[in-house]
Amino acid sequence: GRPIATYDTTAVGKGMANFGKGLTLVGKAIGDQDDATSEFETERKFQEFKWNQQLDLDKRMREVEPGKADGFADETANKYSEGAKEFFSTVPDSLKAKYDNKLFGAEREFYGSAAGFAREEQKRSSLVSIEDAKTNQYFSRARSGEPVDKIGVDYKSLVGANPFLTPIEKDIETRKGFGDLEEAHIQGRVERGDEIDDILRDIRG
């Protein structure tokens, strides 16, 4: 009939609950730290990948032969794609969406640089070719006395067939060429002893 002694376990229960929460928080902190470390390492590798791609692009730009840059942008895109696939295979699953976007952005950047370089080189080379033709062929025709209008038709066709110039660039080059041909024509007439007044009258129409 004696009362049985009892213990108040409320404090103990609360302590165990708090201990469990503490373990959860510690585990979460460790997990967050691991995630941060993983993301830092992935970003470091990504920056290293981009830098190596840039070095490779610069090297290949220096090695392009004059007038042989056609297709350079596509070649750059293919080389980038190979390297990007290799890098992407090392990206943790939790970061793949993020780095898929970053890789796509880098690809557009490198392709744009390669395409711009290729176009400027092909344009430069084609203008050199036009200038050579003008000097070695069209100038001699103009100095020989052949009418500038007739030579101009052939010259305009040459410039118009150039695939690396825009319509505006073709118009600028054609106008400049006509002026150069007219000067060569006048020079030829002077060398042959034509009267200046006759030459000026013909020029004025």
Side-chain angles (χ1 to χ4, degrees):
R2 292 169 53 191
I4 299 174
T6 58
Y7 297 93
D8 183 5
T9 60
T10 303
V12 176
K14 288 182 177 179
M16 290 300 294
N18 289 336
F19 179 70
K21 289 180 181 179
L23 288 178
T24 301
L25 292 174
V26 169
K28 184 177 184 302
I30 293 174
D32 291 344
Q33 185 176 4
D34 288 343
D35 289 344
T37 300
S38 176
E39 184 163 4
F40 173 80
E41 182 63 17
T42 302
E43 180 64 20
R44 184 192 66 78
K45 290 180 179 178
F46 175 70
Q47 294 299 331
E48 182 179 15
F49 164 74
K50 279 189 65 177
W51 176 246
N52 288 333
Q53 288 289 317
Q54 185 65 59
L55 291 178
D56 179 69
L57 177 59
D58 292 343
K59 178 176 179 293
R60 290 189 298 107
M61 283 180 177
R62 293 192 301 271
E63 294 175 347
V64 170
E65 295 291 332
K68 296 184 178 180
D70 197 22
F72 183 80
D74 291 336
E75 178 186 342
T76 297
N78 291 334
K79 288 181 69 66
Y80 176 87
S81 179
E82 294 173 4
K85 288 178 181 178
E86 183 177 348
F87 165 78
F88 194 68
S89 67
T90 68
V91 176
D93 291 341
S94 60
L95 298 174
K96 284 192 179 298
K98 175 180 179 179
Y99 281 89
D100 185 43
N101 288 333
K102 297 187 79 158
L103 286 168
F104 179 66
E107 181 180 18
R108 288 189 300 176
E109 177 184 335
F110 287 121
Y111 184 85
S113 296
F117 164 79
R119 183 188 179 279
E120 285 303 312
E121 169 52 28
Q122 292 303 97
K123 172 186 171 182
R124 184 203 65 79
S125 178
S126 64
L127 286 174
V128 169
S129 178
I130 289 174
E131 191 68 24
D132 288 345
K134 183 168 60 176
T135 301
N136 300 324
Q137 179 182 351
Y138 296 102
F139 278 180
S140 62
R141 289 172 60 184
R143 282 193 294 269
S144 71
E146 188 175 345
V148 173
D149 289 346
K150 180 180 178 182
I151 306 170
V153 171
D154 295 340
Y155 183 76
K156 185 176 181 179
S157 297
L158 174 69
V159 176
N162 191 307
F164 304 111
L165 299 179
T166 66
I168 292 176
E169 290 169 341
K170 291 177 181 179
D171 180 65
I172 293 173
E173 185 59 31
T174 299
R175 291 175 182 274
K176 177 178 178 296
F178 275 28
D180 294 340
L181 291 171
E182 191 170 66
E183 288 183 13
H185 179 77
I186 294 172
Q187 181 183 2
R189 292 186 63 177
V190 170
E191 291 173 352
R192 288 193 300 275
D194 288 4
E195 294 293 334
I196 297 297
D197 290 342
D198 293 339
I199 297 175
L200 292 176
R201 183 174 57 253
D202 292 343
I203 293 174
R204 291 167 184 168

